Amino acid sequence: MKNYLVIGNPIEHSLSPQLHNYWIKNNNINAIYEKKKLNEDDLQNLISKIRKKEIHGVNVTVPFKKIIISHLDALSIEAESTQSVNTILLKDNKIIGHNTDIDGFGLALQKLELNFRNKKVFILGSGGVVPSIIFALDKMKVSEIIISNRTREKAENLRNLHKNLKIVNWGEIPDFDIIVNATSLGLNPEDKIKIDLTNIGENKLFYDVIYNPKETNFLKTAKELGHKTENGKMMFIYQAMVAFNLWHGIKPEINEEIIKLLDQ
């Protein structure tokens, strides 16, 4: 039996095992997928287990997407460009880091059937998945990407990824069409993002990369103000689909049963 993992800290909120084990069963694969909370000093041992083929694939979530890179042998072009890894596999005895978040975010936005070309996108946060979101938005030819982070210096570090990145101070609200919460504020149902979004105009899209809980306070506030909202569930499903295909050579089906499974 092959062993797969998602690692992170925190990790309790992750629904990756439900999704991957559903696909594993449906495709008659002799494998199991589990979640594991790790600390940074556990990473070397994890890599050793992959090398020994005791673990056959790993998904990586916060706070390890960048930290893990120094432990790997090679990176895909997307992982190299974003300096962010969310999927690991052993291929030809090399441990390779991939980034499936770019496709995850891009496919999720395509599913909304909205035209993102020439739109202004305002991103809250600068860690974890943000480089992948910027990479995907660039492909979509948005007109402007604006970042705000509680620590401005971290946002400045993203300039080498997108030279025309605009950075505003936390609490400052620029003109935008789409706002993305890419912070971890919302994983805890009590969390609130303390910025005033009452005077931003109409018909904005509020997107939260968090999928559990399925409606964060960020999205609740948006709904109350009459804006469109979308959580990170489809992004999560699509990035998992790409990772599953990398590991097993099978593109798994995304159906209503999957979507309901994650809503429970």
Side-chain angles (χ1 to χ4, degrees):
M1 180 181 278
K2 290 188 172 181
N3 295 298
Y4 296 85
L5 278 181
V6 58
I7 62 159
N9 192 346
I11 199 64
E12 296 78 18
H13 66 282
S14 176
L15 299 179
S16 289
Q18 286 92 314
L19 183 53
H20 280 273
N21 286 321
Y22 174 91
W23 283 332
I24 283 167
K25 186 181 175 186
N26 265 28
N27 289 283
N28 298 311
I29 296 165
N30 185 20
I32 189 164
Y33 185 111
E34 298 173 301
K35 58 184 170 186
K36 192 156 190 170
K37 182 179 176 181
L38 295 186
N39 295 310
E40 191 175 342
D41 53 12
D42 298 319
L43 295 178
Q44 195 57 55
N45 186 41
L46 174 80
I47 294 298
S48 173
K49 286 184 175 180
I50 297 169
R51 226 174 267 291
K52 291 174 189 169
K53 299 181 183 175
E54 293 172 19
I55 295 171
H56 300 85
V58 176
N59 280 137
V60 183
T61 188
V62 289
F64 302 125
K65 291 186 179 196
K66 189 175 174 72
I67 301 166
I68 196 77
I69 290 173
S70 63
H71 297 274
L72 307 176
D73 298 326
L75 299 176
S76 70
I77 292 165
E78 293 82 1
E80 182 71 56
S81 300
T82 55
Q83 287 295 291
S84 180
V85 164
N86 78 325
T87 302
I88 298 170
L89 64 111
L90 186 70
K91 188 177 180 183
D92 301 327
N93 290 318
K94 282 189 172 181
I95 299 177
I96 302 169
H98 286 262
N99 180 331
T100 71
D101 284 326
I102 297 166
D103 283 339
F105 185 73
L107 290 167
L109 289 193
Q110 279 177 35
K111 192 174 188 299
L112 295 176
E113 295 181 350
L114 299 171
N115 181 12
F116 291 91
R117 195 180 182 90
N118 297 326
K119 294 285 191 289
K120 294 179 181 178
V121 184
F122 181 31
I123 303 171
L124 302 174
S126 66
V129 77
V130 172
S132 309
I133 290 172
I134 293 171
F135 199 93
L137 290 171
D138 261 347
K139 280 186 177 178
M140 292 177 189
K141 304 283 190 281
V142 300
S143 65
E144 193 171 32
I145 301 172
I146 310 146
I147 297 258
S148 186
N149 192 61
R150 284 165 291 183
T151 312
R152 186 180 171 111
E153 187 186 348
K154 286 183 181 173
E156 295 283 355
N157 292 339
L158 292 167
R159 281 196 194 277
N160 59 355
L161 184 63
H162 182 81
K163 62 180 184 297
N164 297 321
L165 200 64
K166 184 178 175 185
I167 295 165
V168 299
N169 291 325
W170 188 256
E172 193 180 324
I173 310 298
D175 180 38
F176 66 84
D177 301 296
I178 300 142
I179 182 169
V180 179
N181 174 36
T183 73
S184 57
L185 288 170
L187 283 177
N188 182 330
E190 314 303 310
D191 288 343
K192 287 193 175 177
I193 297 172
K194 291 173 181 170
I195 56 173
D196 183 7
L197 293 163
T198 49
N199 298 310
I200 56 169
E202 297 177 344
N203 297 321
K204 309 296 183 184
L205 172 63
F206 278 60
Y207 189 99
D208 202 319
V209 300
I210 292 168
Y211 61 88
N212 185 20
K214 65 180 181 180
E215 189 173 66
T216 58
N217 281 318
F218 174 74
L219 296 184
K220 278 180 193 160
T221 301
K223 210 172 264 185
E224 286 162 10
L225 293 169
H227 300 289
K228 295 188 285 290
T229 64
E230 186 74 18
N231 72 11
K233 179 173 64 181
M234 292 314 300
M235 176 184 178
F236 166 66
I237 292 172
Y238 283 125
Q239 65 76 26
M241 174 191 80
V242 180
F244 192 92
N245 191 30
L246 281 170
W247 292 330
H248 306 291
I250 295 167
K251 189 175 176 182
E253 187 185 0
I254 294 172
N255 54 28
E256 284 305 312
E257 200 174 334
I258 284 277
I259 291 161
K260 283 177 189 164
L261 177 78
L262 298 181
D263 279 341
Q264 284 167 10

